[in-house]
Amino acid sequence: MDKKLFEKRYREYCAATEQYLGGLFLDGEEGCAKLCEAMRYSLLSGGKRLRPVLTLEFARLCGLDDLRALPFACALEMVHTYSLIHDDLPCMDDDALRRGKPTNHMVYGVTMATLAGDALQPEAFRVLLSADLPDGVLAEGARVLARSCGAYGMVAGQVIDLTGGEKTLAGLEHLHTLKTGRMFMGAAELGCVAAGAAQEMRDAAREYAANLGLAFQIRDDMLDVIGDEATFGKPIGSDRAEEKTTYVDLFGIGGCEEKVREYTERAKTALEGVRWQGDTQFLFALAQRLATREK
């Protein structure tokens, strides 16, 4: 796909996401101004907005191209934001920087940061259920979101990460399929659900996103060793400091590069043979760019 066309579409998706999220939690009614401020601090702190991009692009591929899936996309991003706030807490990874800025608890304190994350979870479902889509689609969207982030998804992955799961390739793949992959898969599938797509499309979207998520995580592990802290937006070497086993420990940098290529190709292959209502070149280009990202 032409680089300019790719960047134009990506910017459009990000701009729509930023505008929608920027309209949330402005009033701080009933004495909750500080809570809303803390929620907005992390929600609007930038980032790649990769998950909303996946939702919106898969909605387009399935025939819904007027951004009606935007509440679905932003709902999952809100859940992702809550997870980052909690992930940075002293009882978890105890990080001071996120996206080049002080983490939420460094600005608002541990209690308020915890509550900001807590509030973002139910508010995400409220936002999703506000979408201008049929009731059955809303119900299925809520189910997909819950499955992606709950006890059999992202949270399960966080538990394994904190308790030191099996330090093998199979163990790492299981960990990151849950912690990172399930939210990628949920984002992609939510776009299909919003469009009322067939199961074949939903399955292909999940397979693409599962492999994209693993490639993304391996690249993340690499950047924790070879990345530039100012570009990466968080401390370099934090995984080693926390004594976490990573893909770099198992394969080295060269082996990780090969693994990233492998999962990237698997992601692309997952899109083949499906009758999408548009071309898949944007998703091909997205996978390729993430494979070589620096942040």
Side-chain angles (χ1 to χ4, degrees), residues 135-248:
D135 288 348
V137 169
L138 298 181
E140 181 62 8
R143 188 187 71 82
V144 169
L145 180 57
R147 182 185 64 196
S148 302
C149 67
Y152 301 98
M154 178 187 67
V155 175
Q158 180 71 346
V159 170
I160 295 171
D161 194 23
L162 290 173
T163 55
E166 186 181 348
K167 302 181 189 304
T168 62
L169 175 58
L172 279 183
E173 286 182 339
H174 179 58
L175 160 63
H176 294 302
T177 293
L178 291 171
K179 185 176 179 180
T180 304
R182 287 289 166 86
M183 289 288 281
F184 274 53
M185 293 159 73
E189 188 175 11
L190 278 174
C192 301
V193 170
Q199 189 63 47
E200 176 191 32
M201 292 177 173
R202 292 175 60 170
D203 291 343
R206 286 174 57 81
E207 182 67 17
Y208 169 88
N211 285 290
L212 191 75
L214 287 171
F216 183 91
Q217 183 59 54
I218 296 170
R219 184 63 184 170
D220 217 54
D221 286 358
M222 292 170 62
L223 291 174
D224 190 64
V225 176
I226 65 173
D228 174 71
E229 187 167 309
T231 303
F232 197 31
K234 56 184 180 180
I236 298 299
S238 59
D239 289 335
R240 185 169 297 279
E242 294 163 15
E243 299 183 346
K244 291 183 178 180
T245 299
T246 71
Y247 286 96
V248 175

Side-chain angles (χ1 to χ4, degrees), residues 65-106:
D65 60 359
D66 59 356
L67 296 182
R68 288 175 66 200
L70 193 56
F72 278 35
C74 290
L76 189 133
E77 187 72 353
M78 290 165 70
V79 170
H80 174 58
T81 300
Y82 116 71
S83 76
L84 298 182
I85 294 173
H86 283 192
D87 196 45
D88 291 333
L89 290 171
C91 63
M92 301 273 189
D93 286 350
D94 194 15
D95 284 326
L97 282 179
R98 170 72 65 177
R99 295 169 179 165
K101 298 171 59 178
T103 50
N104 198 291
H105 70 274
M106 296 296 291

Side-chain angles (χ1 to χ4, degrees), residues 9-137:
R9 189 180 301 174
Y10 198 104
R11 284 196 303 270
E12 287 173 350
Y13 287 155
C14 288
T17 299
E18 296 295 340
Q19 183 177 12
Y20 191 101
L21 294 175
L24 299 175
F25 315 121
L26 288 168
D27 48 12
E29 61 184 16
E30 298 183 10
C32 293
K34 186 57 71 173
L35 173 63
C36 289
E37 182 184 323
M39 293 162 72
R40 286 174 58 83
Y41 176 81
S42 292
L43 197 57
L44 302 176
S45 67
K48 290 175 279 295
R49 301 303 190 199
L50 178 56
R51 293 156 190 82
V53 166
L54 285 173
T55 300
L56 295 172
E57 177 63 9
F58 272 104
R60 185 193 71 83
L61 277 180
C62 295
L64 191 70
D65 60 359
D66 59 356
L67 296 182
R68 288 175 66 200
L70 193 56
F72 278 35
C74 290
L76 189 133
E77 187 72 353
M78 290 165 70
V79 170
H80 174 58
T81 300
Y82 116 71
S83 76
L84 298 182
I85 294 173
H86 283 192
D87 196 45
D88 291 333
L89 290 171
C91 63
M92 301 273 189
D93 286 350
D94 194 15
D95 284 326
L97 282 179
R98 170 72 65 177
R99 295 169 179 165
K101 298 171 59 178
T103 50
N104 198 291
H105 70 274
M106 296 296 291
V107 177
Y108 296 98
V110 171
T111 300
M112 187 59 73
T114 302
L115 292 171
D118 289 345
L120 281 167
Q121 297 178 66
E123 288 294 334
F125 285 90
R126 180 183 63 80
V127 164
L128 183 149
L129 293 167
S130 74
D132 182 22
L133 295 167
D135 288 348
V137 169

